[in-house]
């Protein structure tokens, strides 16, 4: 679909006159008329405004659909193998502490309820570390996030998922204090995807900001 057809479709679907649509995106009625007749094109700033106001991606406005998308994906999120080693060491430590505590308790005067409470607590800590370790190891591939001009490809425990930009509500990056690692959260209208952990977050943030500008806002 061409840009002029997209503008007409947006206006008609929202039951707007050219004058009403012009007021919503702060342009003149004449500008809308030129766009619809294919005699002119909105600037990038106006395209972003149309995208935000009418909840449509710039890709759709410019006619870049799934069939026209670039087949090449660029990697932006990578595993941090240091976290895998860290969580594995934490898991081994918790298991060792639990084992030693139980052995000492069996040879001492500890009450059964004290043993149960301590085991439940340590078991909960162990479970949390196991979850973090699983998230760090799987999927097996090194690259966890990729993108092209159509959307973001994430690889999580749910599998490999392509998320078109027009369905993306927000993309967030959360870091671990001073650690150069963290997780990326891609929120859509239907579900949220967490990819964890990442490294080189400054580079990831720069690229994601660029993706936001070009494809969403």
């Amino acid at each position: 679909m061409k840009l002029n057809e997209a503008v007409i479709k947006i206006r008609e679907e929202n039951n707007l006159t050219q004058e009403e649509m012009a007021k919503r995106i702060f342009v003149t009625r004449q500008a809308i008329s030129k766009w619809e007749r294919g005699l002119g094109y909105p600037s990038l700033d106006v395209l972003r405004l149309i995208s935000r106001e009418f909840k449509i991606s710039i890709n759709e406005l410019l006619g870049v659909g799934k069939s026209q998308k670039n087949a090449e994906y660029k990697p932006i999120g990578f595993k941090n193998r240091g976290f895998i080693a860290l969580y594995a060491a934490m898991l081994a430590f918790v298991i060792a502490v639990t084992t030693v505590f139980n052995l000492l308790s069996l040879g001492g005067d500890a009450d059964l309820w004290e043993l149960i409470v301590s085991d439940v607590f340590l078991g909960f800590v162990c479970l949390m570390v196991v979850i973090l370790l699983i998230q760090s190891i799987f999927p097996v591939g090194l690259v966890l996030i990729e993108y092209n001009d159509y959307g973001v490809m994430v690889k999580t425990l749910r599998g490999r998922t392509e998320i078109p930009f027009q369905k993306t509500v927000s993309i967030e990056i959360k870091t671990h204090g001073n650690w150069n690692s963290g997780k990326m959260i891609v929120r859509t209208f239907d579900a949220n995807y967490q990819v964890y952990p990442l490294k080189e977050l400054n580079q990831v943030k720069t690229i994601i900001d660029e993706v936001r500008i070009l494809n969403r806002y």
Side-chain angles (χ1 to χ4, degrees):
M1 182 167 57
K2 297 180 180 179
L3 179 59
N4 64 318
E5 295 172 345
V7 173
I8 295 172
K9 181 180 179 182
I10 291 171
R11 185 172 60 79
E12 291 179 346
E13 286 181 348
N14 288 274
N15 297 316
L16 298 173
T17 64
Q18 290 183 345
E19 185 72 32
E20 290 169 338
M21 183 173 183
K23 288 181 179 179
R24 287 184 64 170
I25 58 176
F26 308 103
V27 297
T28 64
R29 185 199 63 78
Q30 289 79 6
I32 300 291
S33 177
K34 285 184 178 180
W35 300 344
E36 292 187 354
R37 289 181 290 157
L39 301 178
Y41 301 93
S43 66
L44 181 57
D45 288 337
V46 175
L47 282 175
R48 292 173 187 161
L49 184 57
I50 295 173
S51 172
R52 183 169 61 247
E53 182 69 21
F54 296 103
K55 304 296 187 296
I56 181 172
S57 71
I58 292 180
N59 272 353
E60 282 189 283
L61 285 171
L62 299 178
V64 181
K66 190 168 185 178
S67 59
Q68 295 87 21
K69 69 178 181 179
N70 186 348
E72 179 183 356
Y73 276 89
K74 301 176 183 179
I76 55 176
F78 300 85
K79 280 186 183 179
N80 189 319
R81 297 192 183 281
F83 271 85
I84 297 177
L86 174 64
Y87 295 140
M90 289 173 60
L91 180 61
F93 176 76
V94 173
I95 292 175
V97 169
T98 304
T99 302
V100 171
F101 182 81
N102 286 335
L103 290 175
L104 292 176
S105 298
L106 290 174
D109 298 327
D111 293 332
L112 179 61
W113 70 267
E114 293 177 339
L115 185 62
I116 293 175
V117 169
S118 62
D119 280 352
V120 168
F121 173 75
L122 290 173
F124 177 77
V125 174
C126 185
L127 177 62
M128 293 299 98
V129 177
V130 167
I131 292 173
L132 292 173
L133 183 60
I134 290 174
Q135 290 179 322
S136 301
I137 296 175
F138 297 100
V140 178
L142 178 63
V143 179
L144 301 184
I145 299 182
E146 301 171 313
Y147 83 101
N148 62 8
D149 57 354
Y150 176 74
V152 178
M153 180 74 74
V154 297
K155 304 170 188 175
T156 68
L157 296 178
R158 302 181 186 185
R160 184 183 179 100
T161 306
E162 184 179 51
I163 307 172
F165 287 118
Q166 61 263 32
K167 293 185 178 180
T168 302
V169 176
S170 67
I171 300 176
E172 304 171 16
I173 296 175
K174 295 189 177 181
T175 60
H176 300 287
N178 294 326
W179 286 78
N180 187 26
S181 184
K183 64 181 176 181
M184 176 178 289
I185 303 174
V186 182
R187 302 184 188 280
T188 71
F189 296 106
D190 304 318
N192 298 330
Y193 300 86
Q194 295 190 32
V195 182
Y196 175 88
L198 302 172
K199 66 178 182 179
E200 301 173 7
L201 289 187
N202 290 333
Q203 179 185 3
V204 172
K205 184 178 184 302
T206 299
I207 296 174
I208 288 300
D209 284 344
E210 176 186 338
V211 169
R212 281 173 168 170
I213 291 173
L214 292 177
N215 299 284
R216 184 68 185 167
Y217 301 107

